[in-house]
Amino acid sequence: MKSEGTPLAPMQDPKPLTSYRKYWAQRFGVAPFLPMSREEMEALGWDSCDVIIVTGDAYIDHPSFGMALVGRLLEAQGFRVGIISQPDWHSAEDFRRLGRPNLFFGVTAGNMDSMVNRYTADRRIRSDDAYTPGAAPNKRPDRAVIVYSQRCREAWPDARVVIGSIEASLRRIAHYDYWSDKVRRSILPDSKADLLLYGNAERALVELVHRLAAGEAIEAIRDLRGSAFMVTRGWRPEGWVEADSTTVDTPGATHPRTDPYAMESPSPLPPLPAGEGPGVRAQPIRFQSREERLAARREARAHTVVRLPSYEQVMGDPVLEAHASRTFHLESNPGNARALVQAHGDRDVWLNLPPIPLATAEMDYVYGLAYARAPHPAYGKAKIPAWEMIRFSVNIMRGCFGGCTFCSITEHEGRIIQSRSEQSILREIGEIRDKTEGFTGVISDLGGPTANMYRMACKDPKIESACRLPSCVYPDICENLRTDHAPLIHLYRKARELPGIKKVLIGSGLRYDLAVRSPEYVKELVTHHVGGYLKIAPEHIAEGPLSKMMKPGIASYDKFKAMFDQYSREAGKEQYLIPYFIAAHPGTSDADMLTLALWLKRNDFRLDQVQTFLPTPLATATAMYHTGKNPLRKVTKSSEEVSVVRGGRQRRLHKAFLRYHDPANWPLLREALRRMGRADLIGNGKRQLVPAFQPAGTTALPHTDGRAARRTSARTGRLRR
């Protein structure tokens, strides 16, 4: 079929972010804050914005907040960037406040998915929003990217719209939506955006803005890694082939083999033309080297698109939805992934190859831009909880190779770790010390998605680029993974030595199965970087749910705990682990939760912070929840079934097992124990789970949302160990 727009090119070395010639508007210099009003634009000497970012979060000029990172990156490329933060979406008027952008609107729901931000795992509306001044609720709409995009179109019908951030990224293909309990189509046709940039999109964004500024039409830009767009049904670039994966058969072309037991002879060769003998046709045999064969295979993959089951198919067939999820995740490594396409009616959603991760120098560049490191002055003295939480912390890396099925980090950021240099991190600590109001000398975190994956990578880039496994640490740590903690230990020591730094804490979650590989790291961490409590996430202890989570067994936790306790004693400190567990995860039975509850009581854990499984778009565990199938293995109509906890009462029961000590949960637990034939666990003995009596003044919780949990925690106390 004839190509529309620019043909896609095979994987090439990426163009560095700093290699572009700056746009002419660089002459206006660096803004103290990116403008949020016409008055601020005029003060900067601007008559218009090249790019306007619409976001569901309050504007905080700090690299931990997407609108600031993207805005400052575009500013550093020479473009004028404005911010429309938390607009009134009930009309288009607020979307006109900065005028029409010269290049495009960049639309984001914010740092969080708007549905996760607004609703609990029980689908109840939250009473606060951490990304809003004063934590005020209801400052963003449900499905904010769709609503904002539609309002941008209404305000300026001829403006281009580019969507991104985690909400758009995790909805780039048809996906199960927990809040409506159905499969929804890709966010592209609903938002009517011109382009979707998924993942950490700095590389695609910088190339896109320069090409648009040079006069290219956005509908002709079809070769950006990390982008998705709508095309006519069946479109594909010239020279590309399609691998059909619309059924539960093995994706890709099939090559029939000769059946040695066939009764019929194979078809004879066509007759030779008159006058030609066998010798005329003979050709020398040429043997290809292994490198040539691999290069040919890579070239073929680079020009192959995998067709997923259509939206209409997955909407009506859970098996095909599980199969689509498995196929999608298999095509996630930027070193070997193929493009994906999925039909939506008479049009296709096309997903280009995943973005190539940023190099360390590029990470340093992005995090070293001219951030004000403060909320916009328009908010005055209002407290923004998300800012209060991170203002003394430093993000040292991105990505996660853990592959936990309930987590969407890999689907968004990828599994390849992108690390900043030690110098860049230490420089940011110095900026916090010198510029951030209220700093007392304590850095609250040096971390990222996982605290101790800094600078970890595959031993061989060739192996990494060829790997299609979803995790580097499950079921065991890969022998090709470098687990050296020495760079992190050196970073911790350097950070502690900086003048004015009293203490450096580690607040991000720790991958303890990696940590136990380095006793020196655990000792360093426990001796100097734990402020009394350390967060880790076993998530469960039973093999059933752990195998569906892709999490290590409890033996790794026990080994880490022994090391933690030993080094705490040697340091003369009383310190505690805070374990996190998930209730009602796919693959979890009532018996599994009872086993966990008994383990918690035996170890004298009384948990305050617990969570019920929340199915987020594109996560593998979400596919399990919706389909009852296991996409970690080949999916067929008869393949492995996964038990799923759906009903509200059973979900409350699983959460109640985690909070067995709360009297409000005892009636529900007693009823369940009797039904399970475990009435022997009802009583006042140490080996029993819940008392037989109900204290005066306590009743069963009508539900277990966040507010109820906070009320009961006031009665029962915080985590005790």
Side-chain angles (χ1 to χ4, degrees), residues 606-672:
R606 296 191 173 195
L607 304 181
D608 178 36
Q609 298 180 353
V610 300
Q611 70 179 91
T612 308
F613 170 67
L614 174 59
T616 53
L618 282 196
T620 300
T622 300
M624 294 181 190
Y625 175 87
H626 170 59
T627 68
K629 289 288 186 179
N630 182 8
L632 296 175
R633 301 178 179 177
K634 182 179 177 180
V635 176
T636 66
K637 293 188 181 300
S638 60
S639 61
E640 180 187 359
E641 302 282 345
V642 177
S643 61
V644 177
V645 179
R646 296 186 186 278
R649 185 174 181 82
Q650 192 180 13
R651 283 169 67 86
R652 290 194 295 272
L653 171 63
H654 281 209
K655 192 170 183 178
F657 273 121
L658 293 180
R659 291 183 52 78
Y660 67 91
H661 53 279
D662 187 344
N665 290 324
W666 291 350
L668 182 61
L669 291 173
R670 290 191 203 100
E671 177 187 339

Coordinates of all heavy atoms in Angstrom, one line a residue, residues 606-672:
R606 N 1.6 -5.1 62.9 CA 0.2 -4.5 62.8 C 0.3 -3.3 61.8 O 0.8 -2.2 62.1 CB -0.2 -3.9 64.2 CG -0.3 -5.0 65.2 CD -1.0 -4.5 66.5 NE -1.3 -5.6 67.4 CZ -2.1 -5.5 68.4 NH1 -2.7 -4.4 68.7 NH2 -2.3 -6.6 69.2
L607 N -0.2 -3.6 60.6 CA 0.0 -2.7 59.5 C -1.0 -1.6 59.5 O -2.2 -1.8 59.8 CB -0.2 -3.5 58.1 CG 0.7 -4.7 57.9 CD1 0.4 -5.3 56.6 CD2 2.2 -4.3 58.0
D608 N -0.5 -0.4 59.2 CA -1.3 0.8 59.1 C -1.6 1.0 57.6 O -2.7 1.3 57.2 CB -0.7 2.0 59.7 CG -1.5 3.2 59.6 OD1 -2.8 3.1 59.6 OD2 -0.9 4.3 59.4
Q609 N -0.6 1.0 56.8 CA -0.7 1.3 55.3 C -0.8 0.0 54.6 O 0.1 -0.8 54.4 CB 0.6 2.1 54.9 CG 0.7 3.4 55.6 CD 1.9 4.1 55.1 OE1 2.7 3.6 54.3 NE2 2.1 5.4 55.5
V610 N -2.0 -0.3 54.1 CA -2.3 -1.4 53.2 C -3.0 -1.0 52.0 O -3.6 0.1 52.0 CB -3.1 -2.5 54.0 CG1 -2.3 -3.0 55.2 CG2 -4.4 -2.0 54.4
Q611 N -3.0 -1.8 50.9 CA -3.7 -1.4 49.7 C -4.3 -2.6 49.1 O -3.9 -3.7 49.2 CB -2.7 -0.7 48.7 CG -1.7 -1.7 48.1 CD -0.8 -1.0 47.1 OE1 0.2 -0.5 47.4 NE2 -1.3 -0.9 45.8
T612 N -5.5 -2.3 48.5 CA -6.2 -3.3 47.7 C -5.7 -3.2 46.2 O -5.5 -2.1 45.8 CB -7.7 -3.1 47.8 OG1 -8.1 -3.1 49.2 CG2 -8.4 -4.3 47.1
F613 N -5.6 -4.3 45.6 CA -5.1 -4.2 44.2 C -6.0 -3.3 43.3 O -7.2 -3.4 43.4 CB -5.2 -5.7 43.6 CG -5.0 -5.7 42.1 CD1 -3.7 -5.3 41.5 CD2 -6.0 -6.1 41.2 CE1 -3.5 -5.4 40.2 CE2 -5.8 -6.1 39.9 CZ -4.6 -5.8 39.3
L614 N -5.3 -2.4 42.6 CA -6.0 -1.5 41.7 C -5.6 -1.8 40.3 O -4.4 -1.6 39.9 CB -5.7 0.0 42.1 CG -6.2 1.1 41.2 CD1 -7.7 1.0 41.1 CD2 -5.7 2.4 41.6
P615 N -6.5 -2.3 39.4 CA -6.1 -2.6 38.0 C -5.9 -1.3 37.2 O -6.9 -0.6 36.9 CB -7.3 -3.4 37.5 CG -8.1 -3.7 38.8 CD -7.9 -2.6 39.7
T616 N -4.7 -1.0 36.9 CA -4.4 0.2 36.1 C -4.2 -0.2 34.7 O -3.8 -1.3 34.4 CB -3.1 0.9 36.6 OG1 -2.0 -0.1 36.7 CG2 -3.3 1.5 38.0
P617 N -4.4 0.7 33.7 CA -4.4 0.3 32.3 C -3.0 -0.2 31.9 O -2.0 0.2 32.3 CB -4.7 1.6 31.6 CG -5.4 2.4 32.6 CD -4.9 2.1 33.9
L618 N -3.1 -1.3 31.0 CA -1.9 -1.9 30.4 C -1.1 -2.8 31.3 O -0.3 -3.6 30.8 CB -1.0 -0.9 29.7 CG -1.4 -0.3 28.4 CD1 -0.2 0.4 27.7 CD2 -2.1 -1.3 27.5
A619 N -1.3 -2.8 32.6 CA -0.5 -3.6 33.5 C -0.9 -5.1 33.2 O -2.1 -5.4 32.9 CB -0.7 -3.3 34.9
T620 N 0.1 -6.0 33.3 CA -0.2 -7.4 33.1 C -1.2 -8.0 34.1 O -2.1 -8.8 33.7 CB 1.1 -8.2 33.2 OG1 2.0 -7.8 32.2 CG2 0.9 -9.7 33.0
A621 N -1.1 -7.5 35.3 CA -2.1 -8.0 36.4 C -3.5 -7.5 36.0 O -4.5 -8.2 36.4 CB -1.6 -7.6 37.7
T622 N -3.6 -6.4 35.4 CA -4.9 -5.9 35.0 C -5.5 -6.8 33.9 O -6.7 -7.1 34.0 CB -4.8 -4.5 34.4 OG1 -4.3 -3.6 35.5 CG2 -6.2 -3.9 34.0
A623 N -4.7 -7.3 33.0 CA -5.2 -8.2 32.0 C -5.7 -9.5 32.7 O -6.7 -10.1 32.4 CB -4.1 -8.5 31.0
M624 N -4.9 -10.0 33.8 CA -5.3 -11.1 34.5 C -6.7 -10.9 35.2 O -7.6 -11.7 35.1 CB -4.3 -11.4 35.6 CG -3.0 -11.9 35.1 SD -1.9 -12.2 36.6 CE -0.3 -12.4 35.7
Y625 N -6.8 -9.7 35.8 CA -8.1 -9.4 36.5 C -9.3 -9.4 35.6 O -10.3 -9.9 35.9 CB -7.9 -8.0 37.1 CG -9.2 -7.4 37.8 CD1 -9.4 -7.7 39.2 CD2 -10.1 -6.6 37.1 CE1 -10.6 -7.2 39.8 CE2 -11.2 -6.1 37.7 CZ -11.4 -6.4 39.1 OH -12.6 -6.0 39.7
H626 N -9.1 -8.8 34.4 CA -10.2 -8.7 33.5 C -10.5 -10.0 32.7 O -11.7 -10.4 32.6 CB -9.9 -7.6 32.4 CG -10.9 -7.6 31.3 ND1 -12.3 -7.4 31.5 CD2 -10.7 -7.7 29.9 CE1 -12.9 -7.4 30.3 NE2 -12.0 -7.6 29.4
T627 N -9.5 -10.7 32.4 CA -9.7 -11.9 31.5 C -9.7 -13.2 32.2 O -10.2 -14.2 31.7 CB -8.6 -12.0 30.4 OG1 -7.3 -12.3 31.1 CG2 -8.5 -10.7 29.7
G628 N -9.1 -13.3 33.4 CA -9.0 -14.6 34.1 C -8.0 -15.5 33.5 O -7.9 -16.7 33.8
K629 N -7.1 -14.9 32.6 CA -6.1 -15.7 32.0 C -4.7 -15.2 32.5 O -4.6 -14.1 33.0 CB -6.1 -15.5 30.4 CG -7.3 -16.3 29.8 CD -7.1 -17.8 29.8 CE -8.2 -18.5 29.1 NZ -7.9 -20.0 29.1
N630 N -3.7 -16.0 32.2 CA -2.3 -15.6 32.6 C -1.5 -15.2 31.4 O -1.0 -16.1 30.7 CB -1.6 -16.8 33.4 CG -0.2 -16.4 33.9 OD1 0.2 -15.2 33.8 ND2 0.5 -17.4 34.4
P631 N -1.3 -13.9 31.1 CA -0.6 -13.5 29.9 C 1.0 -13.7 30.1 O 1.7 -13.4 29.2 CB -0.9 -12.0 29.8 CG -2.0 -11.8 30.7 CD -1.9 -12.8 31.8
L632 N 1.4 -14.2 31.3 CA 2.8 -14.4 31.4 C 3.2 -15.7 30.6 O 4.4 -15.9 30.5 CB 3.2 -14.6 32.9 CG 3.0 -13.4 33.8 CD1 3.2 -13.7 35.2 CD2 3.9 -12.2 33.3
R633 N 2.2 -16.4 30.2 CA 2.5 -17.6 29.4 C 1.7 -17.5 28.1 O 0.8 -16.7 28.0 CB 2.1 -18.9 30.2 CG 2.9 -19.1 31.5 CD 2.4 -20.3 32.2 NE 3.2 -20.5 33.5 CZ 2.9 -21.5 34.3 NH1 2.0 -22.4 34.1 NH2 3.7 -21.6 35.4
K634 N 1.9 -18.4 27.2 CA 1.2 -18.4 26.0 C -0.3 -18.5 26.2 O -0.7 -19.4 27.0 CB 1.7 -19.5 25.0 CG 0.9 -19.5 23.7 CD 1.4 -20.6 22.8 CE 0.6 -20.6 21.5 NZ 1.1 -21.7 20.6
V635 N -1.1 -17.7 25.6 CA -2.5 -17.6 25.9 C -3.3 -18.4 24.8 O -3.1 -18.2 23.6 CB -3.0 -16.2 25.9 CG1 -4.6 -16.1 26.1 CG2 -2.4 -15.4 27.0
T636 N -4.1 -19.3 25.2 CA -5.1 -20.0 24.3 C -6.4 -20.1 25.1 O -6.5 -19.7 26.3 CB -4.6 -21.4 24.0 OG1 -4.6 -22.2 25.2 CG2 -3.2 -21.4 23.4
K637 N -7.4 -20.6 24.4 CA -8.7 -20.7 25.1 C -8.6 -21.7 26.3 O -9.4 -21.6 27.2 CB -9.7 -21.1 24.1 CG -10.0 -20.1 23.0 CD -11.2 -20.4 22.2 CE -11.5 -19.3 21.1 NZ -11.7 -18.0 21.7
S638 N -7.7 -22.6 26.2 CA -7.5 -23.6 27.3 C -6.3 -23.4 28.2 O -6.0 -24.2 29.0 CB -7.5 -25.0 26.7 OG -6.3 -25.2 25.8
S639 N -5.7 -22.2 28.0 CA -4.4 -22.0 28.8 C -4.8 -21.7 30.3 O -6.0 -21.6 30.6 CB -3.6 -20.9 28.2 OG -4.4 -19.7 28.2
E640 N -3.8 -21.4 31.1 CA -3.9 -21.3 32.5 C -5.0 -20.2 32.9 O -4.9 -19.1 32.4 CB -2.6 -20.9 33.2 CG -2.7 -20.8 34.7 CD -1.4 -20.3 35.3 OE1 -0.4 -20.1 34.5 OE2 -1.3 -20.1 36.5
E641 N -5.9 -20.6 33.8 CA -6.8 -19.7 34.4 C -6.3 -19.1 35.7 O -5.5 -19.8 36.4 CB -8.2 -20.4 34.7 CG -8.8 -21.1 33.5 CD -9.5 -20.1 32.6 OE1 -9.8 -19.0 33.0 OE2 -9.8 -20.5 31.5
V642 N -6.6 -17.9 35.9 CA -6.2 -17.2 37.1 C -7.4 -16.8 38.0 O -8.4 -16.2 37.5 CB -5.4 -15.9 36.8 CG1 -5.0 -15.1 38.0 CG2 -4.2 -16.2 36.0
S643 N -7.4 -17.2 39.3 CA -8.5 -16.8 40.1 C -8.5 -15.3 40.4 O -7.4 -14.7 40.6 CB -8.4 -17.6 41.5 OG -7.2 -17.2 42.1
V644 N -9.6 -14.7 40.4 CA -9.7 -13.2 40.4 C -10.7 -12.8 41.5 O -11.8 -13.4 41.6 CB -10.1 -12.6 39.1 CG1 -10.3 -11.1 39.2 CG2 -9.1 -12.9 38.0
V645 N -10.3 -11.9 42.4 CA -11.2 -11.3 43.4 C -11.9 -10.1 42.8 O -11.3 -9.1 42.6 CB -10.4 -11.0 44.7 CG1 -11.3 -10.4 45.7 CG2 -9.6 -12.2 45.2
R646 N -13.2 -10.2 42.6 CA -13.9 -9.1 42.0 C -14.9 -8.5 43.0 O -15.0 -7.2 43.0 CB -14.7 -9.6 40.8 CG -13.8 -10.1 39.6 CD -14.7 -10.4 38.4 NE -13.9 -11.0 37.4 CZ -13.2 -10.4 36.5 NH1 -13.1 -9.1 36.6 NH2 -12.5 -11.0 35.6
G647 N -15.7 -9.3 43.7 CA -16.8 -8.7 44.5 C -16.2 -7.8 45.6 O -15.2 -8.0 46.2
G648 N -17.0 -6.8 45.9 CA -16.6 -5.8 46.9 C -16.4 -6.5 48.3 O -15.5 -6.1 49.0
R649 N -17.3 -7.4 48.6 CA -17.2 -8.0 49.9 C -15.9 -8.9 50.1 O -15.2 -8.8 51.1 CB -18.4 -8.9 50.2 CG -18.5 -9.5 51.6 CD -19.8 -10.2 51.8 NE -19.8 -10.8 53.2 CZ -20.1 -10.1 54.3 NH1 -20.5 -8.8 54.2 NH2 -20.1 -10.6 55.5
Q650 N -15.6 -9.6 49.0 CA -14.4 -10.4 49.1 C -13.1 -9.5 49.1 O -12.1 -9.8 49.8 CB -14.3 -11.4 48.0 CG -13.2 -12.5 48.1 CD -13.1 -13.5 47.0 OE1 -13.7 -13.3 45.9 NE2 -12.4 -14.5 47.2
R651 N -13.1 -8.4 48.3 CA -12.0 -7.5 48.4 C -11.8 -6.9 49.8 O -10.7 -6.7 50.2 CB -12.2 -6.4 47.3 CG -11.9 -6.9 45.9 CD -12.4 -5.8 44.9 NE -11.7 -4.6 44.9 CZ -10.5 -4.4 44.2 NH1 -10.0 -5.4 43.5 NH2 -9.9 -3.2 44.3
R652 N -13.0 -6.6 50.4 CA -12.9 -6.1 51.8 C -12.3 -7.1 52.7 O -11.6 -6.8 53.7 CB -14.2 -5.6 52.2 CG -14.7 -4.3 51.5 CD -15.9 -3.7 52.3 NE -17.1 -4.5 52.3 CZ -18.0 -4.5 51.3 NH1 -17.8 -3.7 50.2 NH2 -19.0 -5.3 51.3
L653 N -12.7 -8.4 52.5 CA -12.2 -9.4 53.3 C -10.7 -9.6 53.2 O -10.0 -9.7 54.2 CB -12.9 -10.8 53.0 CG -12.3 -12.0 53.6 CD1 -12.5 -12.0 55.1 CD2 -13.0 -13.3 53.1
H654 N -10.2 -9.5 52.0 CA -8.7 -9.7 51.8 C -8.0 -8.5 52.5 O -6.9 -8.7 53.0 CB -8.4 -9.8 50.3 CG -8.7 -11.1 49.7 ND1 -8.0 -11.6 48.6 CD2 -9.6 -12.1 50.1 CE1 -8.4 -12.8 48.3 NE2 -9.4 -13.1 49.2
K655 N -8.6 -7.3 52.4 CA -7.9 -6.2 53.1 C -8.0 -6.4 54.6 O -7.1 -6.0 55.3 CB -8.6 -4.9 52.6 CG -7.8 -3.7 53.0 CD -8.4 -2.4 52.3 CE -7.6 -1.2 52.7 NZ -8.1 0.0 52.0
A656 N -9.2 -6.9 55.1 CA -9.3 -7.1 56.5 C -8.3 -8.1 57.0 O -7.9 -8.0 58.2 CB -10.8 -7.6 56.8
F657 N -7.9 -9.1 56.3 CA -6.9 -10.0 56.7 C -5.6 -9.3 57.0 O -4.8 -9.6 57.9 CB -6.7 -11.1 55.7 CG -7.6 -12.3 55.8 CD1 -8.4 -12.7 54.8 CD2 -7.6 -13.1 57.0 CE1 -9.3 -13.8 54.9 CE2 -8.4 -14.2 57.1 CZ -9.3 -14.5 56.1
L658 N -5.3 -8.3 56.2 CA -4.0 -7.5 56.4 C -4.1 -6.7 57.7 O -3.1 -6.3 58.3 CB -3.7 -6.6 55.2 CG -3.4 -7.3 53.9 CD1 -3.1 -6.3 52.8 CD2 -2.1 -8.2 54.1
R659 N -5.4 -6.3 58.1 CA -5.6 -5.5 59.3 C -6.4 -6.3 60.3 O -7.4 -5.9 60.8 CB -6.3 -4.2 58.9 CG -5.4 -3.2 58.1 CD -6.1 -1.9 57.9 NE -6.6 -1.3 59.1 CZ -5.9 -0.6 60.0 NH1 -4.6 -0.5 59.8 NH2 -6.5 -0.1 61.0
Y660 N -5.9 -7.5 60.5 CA -6.5 -8.5 61.4 C -6.7 -7.9 62.8 O -7.5 -8.3 63.6 CB -5.7 -9.8 61.5 CG -4.4 -9.6 62.2 CD1 -4.2 -9.7 63.5 CD2 -3.3 -9.2 61.4 CE1 -3.0 -9.5 64.2 CE2 -2.1 -9.0 62.1 CZ -1.9 -9.1 63.4 OH -0.7 -8.9 64.0
H661 N -5.8 -6.9 63.2 CA -5.8 -6.4 64.6 C -6.9 -5.3 64.8 O -7.1 -4.9 65.9 CB -4.4 -5.7 64.8 CG -4.1 -4.7 63.8 ND1 -3.5 -5.1 62.5 CD2 -4.2 -3.4 63.7 CE1 -3.3 -4.0 61.8 NE2 -3.7 -3.0 62.5
D662 N -7.6 -4.9 63.7 CA -8.6 -3.8 63.8 C -9.9 -4.4 64.3 O -10.5 -5.2 63.5 CB -8.7 -3.1 62.5 CG -9.6 -1.9 62.5 OD1 -10.3 -1.7 63.5 OD2 -9.5 -1.1 61.6
P663 N -10.4 -4.0 65.4 CA -11.7 -4.6 65.8 C -12.8 -4.4 64.8 O -13.8 -5.2 64.8 CB -12.0 -3.8 67.1 CG -10.7 -3.4 67.6 CD -9.9 -3.1 66.4
A664 N -12.8 -3.4 64.0 CA -13.8 -3.2 63.1 C -13.9 -4.3 62.0 O -14.9 -4.5 61.3 CB -13.6 -1.8 62.4
N665 N -12.8 -5.0 61.8 CA -12.7 -6.1 60.8 C -13.1 -7.4 61.4 O -13.2 -8.4 60.7 CB -11.3 -6.2 60.2 CG -11.0 -5.0 59.3 OD1 -11.9 -4.5 58.6 ND2 -9.7 -4.5 59.4
W666 N -13.2 -7.5 62.7 CA -13.3 -8.9 63.4 C -14.6 -9.6 63.0 O -14.6 -10.8 62.7 CB -13.2 -8.7 64.9 CG -11.8 -8.4 65.3 CD1 -10.7 -8.4 64.6 CD2 -11.5 -8.0 66.6 NE1 -9.6 -8.0 65.3 CE2 -10.1 -7.7 66.6 CE3 -12.1 -7.8 67.8 CZ2 -9.3 -7.3 67.7 CZ3 -11.4 -7.3 69.0 CH2 -10.0 -7.1 68.9
P667 N -15.8 -8.9 62.9 CA -17.0 -9.6 62.5 C -16.8 -10.3 61.1 O -17.3 -11.4 60.9 CB -18.1 -8.5 62.5 CG -17.6 -7.5 63.5 CD -16.1 -7.5 63.3
L668 N -16.3 -9.5 60.1 CA -16.1 -10.1 58.8 C -15.1 -11.2 58.8 O -15.3 -12.3 58.1 CB -15.6 -8.9 57.9 CG -15.4 -9.3 56.4 CD1 -16.7 -9.7 55.8 CD2 -14.8 -8.1 55.7
L669 N -14.1 -11.1 59.6 CA -13.1 -12.2 59.7 C -13.6 -13.5 60.4 O -13.4 -14.6 59.9 CB -11.8 -11.7 60.4 CG -11.0 -10.7 59.6 CD1 -9.9 -10.2 60.5 CD2 -10.4 -11.3 58.4
R670 N -14.4 -13.3 61.4 CA -15.0 -14.4 62.1 C -15.9 -15.2 61.1 O -15.9 -16.4 61.1 CB -15.8 -14.0 63.3 CG -15.0 -13.5 64.5 CD -15.9 -13.3 65.7 NE -15.3 -12.3 66.6 CZ -15.7 -11.1 66.8 NH1 -16.7 -10.6 66.0 NH2 -15.1 -10.3 67.6
E671 N -16.7 -14.5 60.4 CA -17.6 -15.1 59.4 C -16.8 -15.9 58.4 O -17.2 -17.0 58.1 CB -18.5 -14.0 58.8 CG -19.4 -14.6 57.7 CD -20.1 -13.5 56.9 OE1 -20.2 -12.3 57.5 OE2 -20.6 -13.7 55.8
A672 N -15.7 -15.3 57.9 CA -14.9 -16.0 56.9 C -14.2 -17.2 57.4 O -14.2 -18.2 56.8 CB -13.9 -15.0 56.3

